[in-house]
Amino acid sequence: MQPKLHLALGTHVVLLRKIENQAKHSVAQVVATPCEHSEYYTVRCVDGTILQLTRQDFGLRKQFNDPLLSLEQPQLAENRQWIQYRCVVGSRAYGLDTPESDTDWRGFFVPPASVHWGLASVPEQYELSETQEHYWEVQKFLNLLLRANPNALECLYTDLVEHASPLALELRAMRHKLLTSRIYQSHNSYVLAQFRLLERDLRTNGSLRWKHVMHLIRLLLSGIHALRHGELRLRHLAEHDQLMAIRAGELEWDVINRWRIALHAEFEQAYAATKLPILPDLAAANAWLLQVRRTQVD
């Protein structure tokens, strides 16, 4: 059972009912939080009066300053019917998993218009950490795809799809219209930056997260293949054993680094010769999004 999280000392609150000569909606400050077997907060009112109150007796002052903050955001865990696409990504999708590997799910959700248009804003993404699930709101997901975000693109190219609505299947069918040469910047630049951090960690701590190193090499392989063949490949069978050796920490850092540098050179050559467009098909993407939105009107 998770411990209760209490308000921080010094939090300004507003009384929700008249208590001991204190007017309703008067301001107070939390000076003590509940102990293990109590539900009472100690608050000090503006006139110095000390009160013992339960959480139901007061609200947060900031919610009265901005009434929109008092609106509860809808939770995806309670509205799983919004999920239109759910797939497995990560090591299992890449064929680089071990018996100890977790299963990671990603996808996108579409809130109904009655929620999407309302005052209670819908978050751009939900992270369900207990079940290793991550979902983007449909427009956020589409924007990531248009910017060649590796995490979003992999969702459309994984073979491990557990749920896809007809609209989600339409998006998968048009994925080639969204793949662009921008993958060079999104993949290559990210790997370069990460290897600089890894080299710093190696000098400072003398240790590395070998699984992360493996995935960076895999990203280079995927990006090169995409530029050369116009599709994103997640499984690299020819390099499987080398990648797993990296994951196990069995390859020397210098060997990995030489391979990484060679792959960067290949990436640049593939970028110079690629037939992928510079820009995605924005008209097709926009038409699809409008179609999605129309289906959610009550």
Side-chain angles (χ1 to χ4, degrees):
M1 183 175 180
Q2 295 294 323
K4 290 184 178 180
L5 297 178
H6 298 307
L7 298 177
L9 295 179
T11 300
H12 288 89
V13 299
V14 176
L15 304 186
L16 298 180
R17 61 186 178 87
K18 185 177 174 63
I19 304 172
E20 294 186 16
N21 300 319
Q22 298 297 321
K24 183 180 179 181
H25 295 164
S26 63
V27 177
Q29 187 177 36
V30 174
V31 295
T33 57
C35 60
E36 184 178 357
H37 302 293
S38 172
E39 60 177 337
Y40 288 93
Y41 283 85
T42 303
V43 303
R44 181 188 294 114
C45 300
V46 290
D47 64 358
T49 302
I50 300 296
L51 300 174
Q52 299 289 319
L53 304 176
T54 67
R55 187 62 183 82
Q56 289 70 40
D57 293 327
F58 59 83
L60 299 180
R61 185 180 184 182
K62 65 180 181 180
Q63 293 176 344
F64 285 78
N65 292 338
D66 183 354
L68 294 182
L69 292 175
S70 65
L71 290 172
E72 288 190 15
Q73 288 185 331
Q75 297 301 310
L76 188 63
E78 300 166 2
N79 297 280
R80 294 190 68 90
Q81 72 275 12
W82 296 357
I83 298 173
Q84 295 217 16
Y85 188 67
R86 170 184 163 97
C87 63
V88 175
V89 293
S91 296
R92 296 195 184 281
Y94 313 141
L96 298 171
D97 54 305
T98 67
E100 294 76 32
S101 294
D102 295 326
T103 301
D104 300 309
W105 290 275
R106 288 201 194 105
F108 69 85
F109 67 93
V110 182
S114 58
V115 175
H116 181 64
W117 295 343
L119 286 175
S121 61
V122 177
E124 288 189 328
Q125 59 193 44
Y126 285 101
E127 186 84 34
L128 308 180
S129 55
E130 290 185 1
T131 51
Q132 304 277 28
E133 296 176 77
H134 187 111
Y135 298 98
W136 293 283
E137 198 276 328
V138 60
Q139 187 166 346
K140 173 71 173 181
F141 180 60
L142 188 58
N143 287 339
L144 290 173
L145 291 172
L146 297 175
R147 291 176 172 82
N149 177 275
N151 293 328
L153 282 173
E154 289 172 1
C155 289
L156 291 190
Y157 283 87
T158 178
D159 294 328
L160 304 180
V161 178
E162 295 192 351
H163 169 69
S165 70
L167 286 168
L169 291 175
E170 286 183 26
L171 185 63
R172 275 185 66 96
M174 60 182 274
R175 61 190 180 184
H176 63 285
K177 296 182 179 181
L178 307 179
L179 192 62
T180 67
S181 60
R182 188 168 182 167
I183 200 170
Y184 173 76
Q185 285 83 13
S186 64
H187 284 56
N188 198 47
S189 300
Y190 174 72
V191 173
L192 277 170
Q194 288 297 302
F195 260 85
R196 291 191 192 101
L197 294 175
L198 287 169
E199 288 171 340
R200 186 188 67 186
D201 290 343
L202 189 60
R203 291 192 302 269
T204 304
N205 306 318
S207 62
L208 291 170
R209 293 176 293 145
W210 293 109
K211 179 181 175 181
H212 183 51
V213 177
M214 174 193 72
H215 284 309
L216 292 174
I217 297 295
R218 180 198 57 78
L219 267 180
L220 291 176
L221 293 169
S222 293
I224 292 168
H225 188 273
L227 290 177
R228 287 176 174 169
H229 303 283
E231 66 171 3
L232 192 68
R233 174 186 285 176
L234 301 191
R235 292 175 177 255
H236 301 279
L237 300 181
E239 296 84 7
H240 175 272
D241 291 347
Q242 287 174 282
L243 290 169
M244 292 301 287
I246 294 175
R247 177 173 186 150
E250 296 171 354
L251 288 187
E252 295 290 335
W253 173 252
D254 288 344
V255 173
I256 298 170
N257 207 29
R258 285 197 298 271
W259 187 16
R260 189 263 306 181
I261 293 171
L263 288 175
H264 282 305
E266 284 189 51
F267 218 151
E268 291 179 6
Q269 295 167 4
Y271 180 59
T274 188
K275 295 181 179 179
L276 283 178
I278 297 173
L279 295 175
D281 190 334
L282 296 176
N286 191 58
W288 178 82
L289 181 60
L290 290 174
Q291 182 184 1
V292 171
R293 295 296 190 209
R294 291 188 188 103
T295 65
Q296 300 304 308
V297 178
D298 295 334

